[in-house]
Amino acid sequence: MPKTQAEIKIVGSSTFGRYPKISLEKTYNMFISDDWLVSYPGFKKVLEINANSEGRGLFHSIRGDFLIYVVGSSVYKITTGIGSIKVGNLSSSTGEVFMDENLSSQICIVDGIDAYIYNWSNKSLTKQNFAYAPGFVSYHNSFFLIAQEPTQPHPENWFVYQFLNDTEIVQLASNAGGTFSIQTKPDVCLAVHRIPGRGNNIIAIGSAVSEVYTQVGGSENYRRNSSFNINSGCVSKSTIACADTLVCWLGQNENNSPTIMFTDGSNIEQISTDGINYQLQEIQFPEQSTAFFYKQDGHLFYQLTFYNSADNLSLVYDFNTSKFFHVTDWRLNYHPARQVVFFEEKTYFASLSEGSIYQMDTNIIDQINVVGDVEGHNIPRIRICNTVRQGSTKPFRVNEVVFVMEQGVNSFPQMRIDSSNCTDIMITEDGNVMISEGGAEMQGEDGICATNINRPCVDMSISKNGAQTFSGGVRRYLNAEGHYRNMISWHRLGFANEFTVQLEFSGMQRFVINDSLADITT
Amino acid sequence: MAYTVNQLVSGAFYASGIVSREFETVSGQQLFDGIEWLNEILAEKTIDSDMVPYESTYELNLVQGQEEYYIEDLIEIDTLTFTIDSVRFPVQQTPRDQYFGSVRVNNIQSLPVCWFMEREYGGARLYIYFQPNSSYVAEIKGIFRLNNVTQGQDLSLTLDQFYITYLKYALACKICDEYSMEIPRGVLKQHDKYYGYISKKSRPLDLHIRKSSTLHKRNGGSWAWANLFRGYTT
């Protein structure tokens, strides 16, 4: 009966299967960097406008060097140092808004009911008088490309607008290339967006099909690519996001259930796995979603969130490593980010759940919900590893699980005790605290002093039934500041023929973790 | 301090590596199995009497005219005596061939002079000759079977800690066997250490020497010999 070693994939992503028995591998709030598992960016509040309203959109004006932030029905201009100036109001107060800017200092804001032009040159916000409810806007080659809400008459149409005057835009005439429609299938047009890195090419995305157009100029203006289309539309226009050379969205068509897809304008690819496809299929309110691309530490992330409480799910896909991860807030609910911008060398997002702007960064390790605070809520970072099985299905005994992780990089001195957490402190008849000759507070026999709850630690729980149920967590505290010894281990883990490890990393420090080997006797 | 059967079984499961001390608790079925296997280990000591750590004293009521006595749980007799008026009389052990194969008068009732013991199911049968001519209380020094244990029983009331520790490691070894797993080296080492201590030291080694001479001529019993003790009849 030899001793051998089994690989515990701590450095891994959310590759869970259709059923837990297949795989329950999930990673929460961590991602892979150079084959190490590291913390996903934390975030801190930098501006609070209205805690009771919904952050609806955030847009970075490159030319104006400011942000436009829509919270509730209010529109704010966010300037250098995250100062805010209210510039006007929208008629609506909920739901995601879409924004883009042209070359004439005009930012078009579309809220699903009306379109607005904010001219940052003359600081005016003007409601446009459209004959239909606009649903999506994107800028391309001096035009605003606007799709209407699918409830409108002729929802297959999308329109081309151009600058009219400082406060207005105007639709090009139909005979001048101002109106187009989805044609490949009888479908509605949900969004039109330029394809990054593809010059004159744009993509019109329907609910079951997507078409690529090329701007050819003249009275034709845009010409549909007659040899290529994508047999997938979009579940929700809020899931459409663009970056680098990609357009990504939650796709579906009349035959197929939702999958995450992306295109570079010439190829289409599905990136979601079986388990994620199943989870997407189970989404009850796909329209209550949001998605965006952003780059952090060189990694291109596509983050997708379903924020209805019935769904409550955020996934992030790392295009660098081609892997999915789960992301959450500190309560393990959906990640609150909606529409990310890079402004003044920092990454900011509008919060879905409140009217605030947050800064996110891998140097921020927790969720700070109060402007100016340096410490906030611990973001749970969880890894459910692969299930270890033998090819023969025979049981084995797990003698030890050990792995290497960075330690001693926190700000916790050795066994810091918060005296306010001590119980049964002895007092005099007058209620004064009794102290010893040395000045120390005296404690009764039953008193305890709890260690600081934020002390970094790792809780491991195990499953021996194919990840159906897990044991309670067994904690290992991490070393205090300056103690860099890096091994962490659990011994004598029992007998099983299926063995799954779940790790939860807690506390105010970054986490950098390597793979593990389990010492087993077969 | 109380040490229950449940603690012993749990400790054995943890030591065997079958159940993780930190992550799991021993299940009801495992506890049931463990107690059953523990009782098997205790039962093994009936035929491995060196591993019974304690001698016992047993009072046997001899009945006038009765030769055979069944004594439950008896494994081995070291001494058998009876007392009359503060005088202790020994009864000598006789080999089986002599007790059952030699000439004797069966109907004599007198002071017992020799005994022979045979193991039987659940205990042993003691034969005494002469048949007691009166009721005596005999005292047997010997070893008896270890009793079965039950769930929740406090072992510290009947066993010393060293023996409980031995049983834990013995049960851990048995659990590994039952689960077809290799016995952890440390567990085996501890088991062997305690086994050695108990088998060699808990009871005095039997160093009796009995010479058998091929030149010895043994006289057979006679009627006169059989009636030798009549003068001591009370």
Side-chain angles (χ1 to χ4, degrees):
Chain A
M1 294 186 183
K3 279 192 175 183
T4 185
Q5 290 183 318
E7 185 184 19
I8 306 281
K9 284 192 245 172
I10 294 180
V11 182
S13 58
S14 294
T15 57
F16 57 95
R18 167 67 179 82
Y19 301 104
K21 196 74 172 177
I22 299 169
S23 170
L24 196 65
E25 270 195 75
K26 288 180 184 173
T27 303
Y28 287 86
N29 297 313
M30 308 185 93
F31 70 101
I32 298 171
S33 176
D34 290 334
D35 296 327
W36 287 69
L37 199 61
V38 300
S39 301
Y40 192 70
F43 43 97
K44 66 175 181 184
K45 189 183 285 186
V46 292
L47 176 67
E48 182 172 299
I49 302 282
N50 184 348
N52 298 319
S53 294
E54 169 190 355
R56 303 175 64 191
L58 189 63
F59 176 75
H60 181 195
S61 168
I62 299 292
R63 287 157 60 89
D65 194 24
F66 62 86
L67 305 178
I68 288 290
Y69 178 43
V70 180
V71 51
S73 60
S74 304
V75 182
Y76 287 86
K77 179 180 177 182
I78 309 298
T79 55
T80 303
I82 315 296
S84 62
I85 305 164
K86 187 170 180 180
V87 297
N89 286 304
L90 308 183
S91 301
S92 63
S93 59
T94 59
E96 186 161 12
V97 298
F98 301 93
M99 294 177 264
D100 217 334
E101 180 179 11
N102 66 13
L103 299 171
S104 307
S105 308
Q106 291 179 317
I107 296 173
C108 182
I109 304 171
V110 161
D111 66 356
I113 298 172
D114 290 301
Y116 300 80
I117 290 294
Y118 172 67
N119 188 310
W120 50 268
S121 211
N122 63 18
K123 300 180 177 54
S124 64
L125 181 69
T126 309
K127 186 176 176 179
Q128 305 298 297
N129 189 22
F130 283 11
Y132 55 89
F136 194 91
V137 63
S138 175
Y139 171 80
H140 184 244
N141 288 0
S142 80
F143 299 118
F144 281 125
L145 311 178
I146 295 179
Q148 52 186 335
E149 283 292 302
T151 52
Q152 299 296 301
H154 302 292
E156 70 279 10
N157 290 343
W158 57 274
F159 308 99
V160 181
Y161 282 77
Q162 65 179 4
F163 172 83
L164 175 63
N165 56 44
D166 280 349
T167 57
E168 290 177 300
I169 55 175
V170 64
Q171 184 185 335
L172 272 62
S174 296
N175 58 5
T179 304
F180 297 88
S181 58
I182 295 272
Q183 295 171 15
T184 316
K185 284 183 182 177
D187 198 1
V188 299
C189 181
L190 296 174
V192 187
H193 207 293
R194 62 185 175 275
I195 302 175
R198 288 286 177 176
N200 283 0
N201 289 346
I202 62 161
I203 184 168
I205 302 174
S207 64
V209 71
S210 300
E211 298 173 343
V212 174
Y213 289 76
T214 304
Q215 195 195 23
V216 294
S219 60
E220 190 179 0
N221 203 359
Y222 285 91
R223 180 184 300 161
R224 184 168 60 88
N225 187 327
S226 58
S227 61
F228 174 75
N229 69 58
I230 297 166
N231 192 31
S232 171
C234 183
V235 175
S236 163
K237 63 191 173 199
S238 294
T239 65
I240 301 168
C242 303
D244 288 0
T245 60
L246 306 171
V247 180
C248 193
W249 68 92
L250 181 62
Q252 68 168 15
N253 66 20
E254 68 275 21
N255 303 119
N256 302 333
S257 56
T259 58
I260 299 175
M261 318 191 81
F262 73 89
T263 181
D264 61 0
S266 58
N267 293 301
I268 180 73
E269 209 168 312
Q270 175 185 321
I271 56 177
S272 40
T273 60
D274 285 5
I276 285 175
N277 285 337
Y278 171 71
Q279 199 153 21
L280 294 173
Q281 207 174 292
E282 297 297 299
I283 294 292
Q284 296 179 41
F285 300 95
E287 69 285 357
Q288 293 182 37
S289 57
T290 189
F292 55 84
F293 269 107
Y294 82 107
K295 267 195 177 177
Q296 180 73 50
D297 302 348
H299 288 249
L300 179 63
F301 292 112
Y302 172 73
Q303 185 169 318
L304 174 62
T305 294
F306 300 94
Y307 54 84
N308 186 286
S309 58
D311 300 322
N312 197 15
L313 172 71
S314 292
L315 294 168
V316 64
Y317 182 77
D318 183 349
F319 274 85
N320 289 46
T321 56
S322 303
K323 292 183 186 307
F324 275 100
F325 306 92
H326 284 76
V327 287
T328 69
D329 68 355
W330 71 283
R331 286 177 167 152
L332 275 176
N333 289 323
Y334 63 84
H335 194 282
R338 169 189 260 177
Q339 298 192 5
V340 169
V341 297
F342 188 68
F343 179 61
E344 294 181 329
E345 314 305 321
K346 293 184 177 73
T347 303
Y348 297 101
F349 67 78
S351 172
L352 269 166
S353 49
E354 55 170 326
S356 300
I357 293 177
Y358 283 80
Q359 180 194 343
M360 66 191 299
D361 197 291
T362 44
N363 288 323
I364 302 170
I365 54 176
D366 45 0
Q367 176 177 341
I368 302 170
N369 289 331
V370 178
V371 178
D373 275 9
V374 293
E375 205 169 85
H377 299 290
N378 173 60
I379 298 174
R381 304 184 191 275
I382 300 170
R383 170 66 185 154
I384 303 172
C385 301
N386 58 308
T387 297
V388 174
R389 297 182 181 95
Q390 291 207 92
S392 63
T393 74
K394 284 185 180 172
F396 51 88
R397 190 166 48 206
V398 185
N399 303 311
E400 183 182 25
V401 169
V402 61
F403 58 88
V404 167
M405 66 178 292
E406 186 182 46
Q407 294 198 57
V409 291
N410 51 57
S411 56
F412 286 84
Q414 193 75 33
M415 292 299 289
R416 188 175 84 176
I417 303 291
D418 183 350
S419 61
S420 66
N421 285 340
C422 290
T423 61
D424 201 19
I425 298 293
M426 297 171 75
I427 57 173
T428 64
E429 287 179 356
D430 301 323
N432 298 320
V433 174
M434 292 174 68
I435 56 171
S436 67
E437 286 179 356
E441 292 178 352
M442 296 176 71
Q443 197 173 26
E445 280 183 0
D446 297 325
I448 55 166
C449 284
T451 52
N452 192 306
I453 56 168
N454 289 329
R455 187 177 169 197
C457 59
V458 186
D459 291 293
M460 185 167 99
S461 50
I462 59 173
S463 170
K464 296 182 175 181
N465 54 14
Q468 302 288 350
T469 57
F470 281 84
S471 70
V474 176
R475 177 164 292 187
R476 296 284 182 271
Y477 282 106
L478 300 187
N479 295 340
E481 185 177 18
H483 296 260
Y484 300 115
R485 289 187 307 273
N486 51 29
M487 295 281 283
I488 189 160
S489 60
W490 287 260
H491 296 268
R492 289 196 167 186
L493 299 153
F495 171 89
N497 68 347
E498 293 181 307
F499 181 74
T500 315
V501 166
Q502 176 176 285
L503 298 162
E504 179 169 352
F505 303 88
S506 313
M508 302 302 179
Q509 75 160 55
R510 68 184 184 225
F511 294 103
V512 183
I513 307 142
N514 206 344
D515 262 331
S516 170
L517 286 174
D519 178 29
I520 64 173
T521 305
T522 56
Chain B
M1 196 168 74
Y3 192 101
T4 64
V5 169
N6 301 33
Q7 281 175 280
L8 188 147
V9 172
S10 298
F13 268 103
Y14 296 144
S16 68
I18 299 300
V19 176
S20 173
R21 179 186 294 276
E22 288 186 302
F23 291 90
E24 298 171 286
T25 51
V26 174
S27 70
Q29 183 60 46
Q30 285 171 324
L31 180 63
F32 178 82
D33 289 342
I35 293 172
E36 190 173 298
W37 296 331
L38 178 59
N39 283 328
E40 286 178 14
I41 291 169
L42 293 171
E44 282 171 17
K45 306 312 170 199
T46 306
I47 52 171
D48 186 7
S49 54
D50 284 348
M51 290 304 293
V52 177
Y54 306 117
E55 279 89 13
S56 303
T57 300
Y58 180 82
E59 287 191 346
L60 174 65
N61 293 317
L62 299 178
V63 179
Q64 183 179 0
Q66 182 177 328
E67 182 182 0
E68 296 178 24
Y69 299 87
Y70 177 77
I71 303 172
E72 199 174 7
D73 292 337
L74 179 62
I75 299 174
E76 194 176 304
I77 294 174
D78 291 332
T79 62
L80 173 60
T81 59
F82 61 93
T83 303
I84 302 171
D85 293 339
S86 304
V87 179
R88 185 174 67 193
F89 293 88
V91 185
Q92 300 298 325
Q93 183 179 11
T94 307
R96 180 186 179 87
D97 59 337
Q98 287 183 29
Y99 191 90
F100 291 114
S102 62
V103 175
R104 75 175 195 186
V105 180
N106 280 338
N107 60 351
I108 297 176
Q109 293 187 5
S110 181
L111 297 179
V113 294
C114 62
W115 62 267
F116 174 72
M117 188 197 83
E118 275 185 335
R119 284 195 177 183
E120 283 195 1
Y121 175 77
R125 187 166 298 276
L126 177 68
Y127 298 88
I128 289 177
Y129 189 78
F130 301 113
Q131 294 165 7
N133 59 350
S134 180
S135 296
Y136 303 114
V137 177
E139 185 181 81
I140 295 173
K141 297 277 188 185
I143 56 175
F144 288 74
R145 294 176 192 227
L146 296 172
N147 291 327
N148 278 1
V149 294
T150 56
Q151 186 178 339
Q153 181 180 330
D154 184 0
L155 293 173
S156 67
L157 300 176
T158 51
L159 294 170
D160 281 308
Q161 184 59 49
F162 74 89
Y163 202 75
I164 292 171
T165 306
Y166 160 72
L167 287 175
K168 182 179 82 173
Y169 286 114
L171 181 57
C173 293
K174 190 163 186 69
I175 289 168
C176 288
D177 286 343
E178 294 287 343
Y179 279 81
S180 299
M181 295 301 295
E182 185 185 18
I183 300 168
R185 193 180 303 166
V187 170
L188 193 58
K189 193 175 168 186
Q190 290 293 320
H191 169 267
D192 291 350
K193 183 178 82 174
Y194 277 93
Y195 187 91
Y197 286 162
I198 294 165
S199 66
K200 290 182 178 64
K201 296 178 183 172
S202 73
R203 302 190 69 232
L205 292 177
D206 184 1
L207 298 176
H208 286 97
I209 296 173
R210 181 168 296 160
K211 292 184 289 184
S212 296
S213 172
T214 55
L215 303 174
H216 179 74
K217 184 178 179 182
R218 195 179 189 93
N219 293 322
S222 65
W223 180 255
W225 181 85
N227 288 282
L228 180 62
F229 290 97
R230 285 222 175 241
Y232 292 94
T233 303
T234 56

